[in-house]
Amino acid sequence: MRRLTPVLREDGVDLDLISLIRTILAACKEISFRVSQGALAGVLGSTLDENIQGETQKQLDVVSNELFKDITLESGFCRAIMSEEEEFSVPGNPEGEYLVAFDPLDGSSNIDINSLIGTIFSIMKAPVGAAPDDQDMFLQPGTQQVCAGYVLYGPSTMLCMTTGKGVRMFTLDKTHGGFLLTEDKVSIPPATKEFAINMSNQRFWETPMQRYIDDLIKGEEGKREKRFNMRWIAAMVGDVHRLLCRGGIFMYPTDTKNQKQPFKLRLLYEANPMSFLVEQAGGVSSTGYERIMSMTPNNIHQRVAVVMGSKDEVETCLDYHK
Ligand code: AFP
């Protein structure tokens, strides 16, 4: 592992952070290649194991996790990393400046049907003097993220990223292997007529969410006086990509389907990075009751309720929760 001292460019940009982001993109390009090979790479289907979340692991989940983990740790820029697929954080270089939390392959149920999936990542600074095996380093609010993004493996492979100065999208040019800037200033329209929620859970939601969705479904005949459309990709990365492109509201609210687990989405490597992107693009992100990025996590695999997207629509939804 190489010795790291932060090197700042004249404009204050940390060159180590740029190198770390490049490393992450190298891992994602490799995952993109495996994903595009599908059955030819022999990585479809499930393993015999469950991950720490108690969910069946797909072979591609495991392959992507190993690739992402090995490449980021090998770079030497990370004090530690943590992943949806790992029970504990994994120590890295004691002199590494950064922490990376990631979901190597979000939307696992889409793998075998050749539908949208992606890698989500969040980068934070490692606290000064903290040991690489100190897992509590990761328990920082989302406001401490220095970079967040995702790589979407769709008809084209796209990177969407923020370092806190707006959101940019890039498209992977497979002819020369680079991510080319294709959207310089992503901006979510404040109003929308599109919502995304798993309607099959309706009877398990809290009353405010039931009432809000009822009013959307009533369309022009209800108090909202306009017709709404619904979309559900079953991969947060795909649903959030859509709202970053054309607006919308995405929700995975509290439910009583499983009494032991009232929330579905993970704070550190799903909700926080997506909230950073959404807020940087002019949207709003909340649990329904509080700003997601202000929450101090109490464990590395903590789950939260999520309501995010177009500002006016999310605020309307939050009014139902007051
Ligand atoms: P994985 O992280 O296991 O791939 O799950 C994906 C996800 O957490 C999120 O990306 C989706 O929005 C959500 O699950 C879909 O959940 P449903 O099973 O309720 O459609």
Side-chain angles (χ1 to χ4, degrees):
M1 284 180 186
R2 66 185 189 82
R3 168 80 177 83
L4 292 171
T5 33
V7 184
L8 296 184
R9 242 173 27 188
E10 271 174 23
D11 57 6
V13 172
D14 180 348
L15 293 181
D16 282 354
L17 178 59
I18 294 176
S19 301
L20 173 57
I21 293 168
R22 287 204 176 119
T23 303
I24 289 173
L25 298 187
C28 292
K29 278 190 233 176
E30 188 60 40
I31 297 172
S32 171
F33 177 69
R34 305 288 177 104
V35 167
S36 68
Q37 290 283 91
L40 301 178
V43 290
L44 301 188
S46 302
T47 66
L48 295 175
D49 300 322
E50 284 187 345
N51 66 11
I52 169 64
Q53 326 286 339
E55 297 156 345
T56 307
Q57 279 183 312
K58 299 285 184 182
Q59 289 196 51
L60 210 48
D61 281 328
V62 177
V63 170
S64 306
N65 186 55
E66 292 303 318
L67 276 171
F68 197 105
K69 182 171 71 172
D70 290 350
I71 295 176
T72 48
L73 286 177
E74 173 66 22
S75 73
F77 295 110
C78 299
R79 184 90 50 93
I81 56 139
M82 63 146 307
S83 157
E84 180 187 15
E85 305 299 335
E86 305 275 341
E87 182 167 4
F88 304 109
S89 64
V90 184
N93 181 0
E95 292 173 31
E97 292 283 322
Y98 292 101
L99 303 173
V100 179
F102 62 97
D103 180 351
L105 217 49
D106 178 61
S108 307
S109 67
N110 285 348
I111 293 174
D112 294 345
I113 58 164
N114 197 17
S115 191
L116 278 186
I117 45 180
T119 300
I120 307 173
F121 59 90
S122 160
I123 308 178
M124 294 173 285
K125 280 263 190 189
V128 179
D133 60 359
D134 178 1
Q135 188 160 274
D136 290 350
M137 283 188 291
F138 284 92
L139 305 183
Q140 305 181 32
T143 49
Q144 297 298 312
Q145 295 173 103
V146 293
C147 174
Y150 61 79
V151 174
L152 183 72
Y153 310 115
S156 51
T157 293
M158 290 191 73
L159 162 70
C160 179
M161 199 179 75
T162 183
T163 52
K165 292 181 185 128
V167 179
R168 290 174 156 188
M169 286 183 185
F170 305 78
T171 304
L172 181 62
D173 180 351
K174 290 186 179 164
T175 55
H176 82 337
F179 280 98
L180 305 184
L181 181 64
T182 41
E183 180 62 63
D184 193 22
K185 197 171 183 324
V186 175
S187 171
I188 303 175
T192 183
K193 290 180 174 179
E194 203 158 56
F195 69 98
I197 194 164
N198 183 343
M199 284 297 295
S200 68
N201 293 330
Q202 184 169 25
R203 68 190 186 283
F204 302 112
W205 301 330
E206 295 176 323
T207 309
M209 190 53 84
Q210 302 255 12
R211 287 179 37 242
Y212 170 66
I213 297 292
D214 275 351
D215 286 341
L216 298 190
I217 290 171
K218 283 183 188 138
E220 2 2 15
E221 283 143 39
K223 64 192 264 199
R224 298 299 306 277
E225 296 176 344
K226 66 178 183 181
R227 187 174 295 188
F228 283 83
N229 194 15
M230 198 199 91
R231 288 283 181 272
W232 187 247
I233 291 176
M236 184 189 201
V237 70
D239 282 309
V240 173
H241 183 70
R242 185 187 56 254
L243 73 81
L244 285 164
C245 290
R246 65 178 188 211
I249 179 167
F250 167 83
M251 294 153 282
Y252 215 113
T254 310
D255 66 48
T256 55
K257 198 161 60 167
N258 173 354
Q259 298 286 350
K260 289 198 195 123
Q261 191 183 290
F263 317 117
K264 166 102 179 181
L265 300 178
R266 280 50 65 112
L267 176 59
L268 286 179
Y269 40 87
E270 290 178 328
N272 267 344
M274 293 312 203
S275 298
F276 195 13
L277 290 167
V278 165
E279 288 195 8
Q280 283 293 316
V284 174
S285 179
S286 166
T287 62
Y289 301 97
E290 63 180 313
R291 182 185 179 211
I292 288 178
M293 290 228 291
S294 298
M295 296 172 71
T296 302
N298 50 42
N299 78 72
I300 63 169
H301 293 294
Q302 182 175 345
R303 295 171 186 260
V304 280
V306 171
V307 178
M308 61 169 63
S310 292
K311 183 172 180 294
D312 295 352
E313 195 54 44
V314 173
E315 283 169 356
T316 303
C317 177
L318 299 186
D319 284 343
Y320 284 72
H321 291 75
K322 279 180 186 156

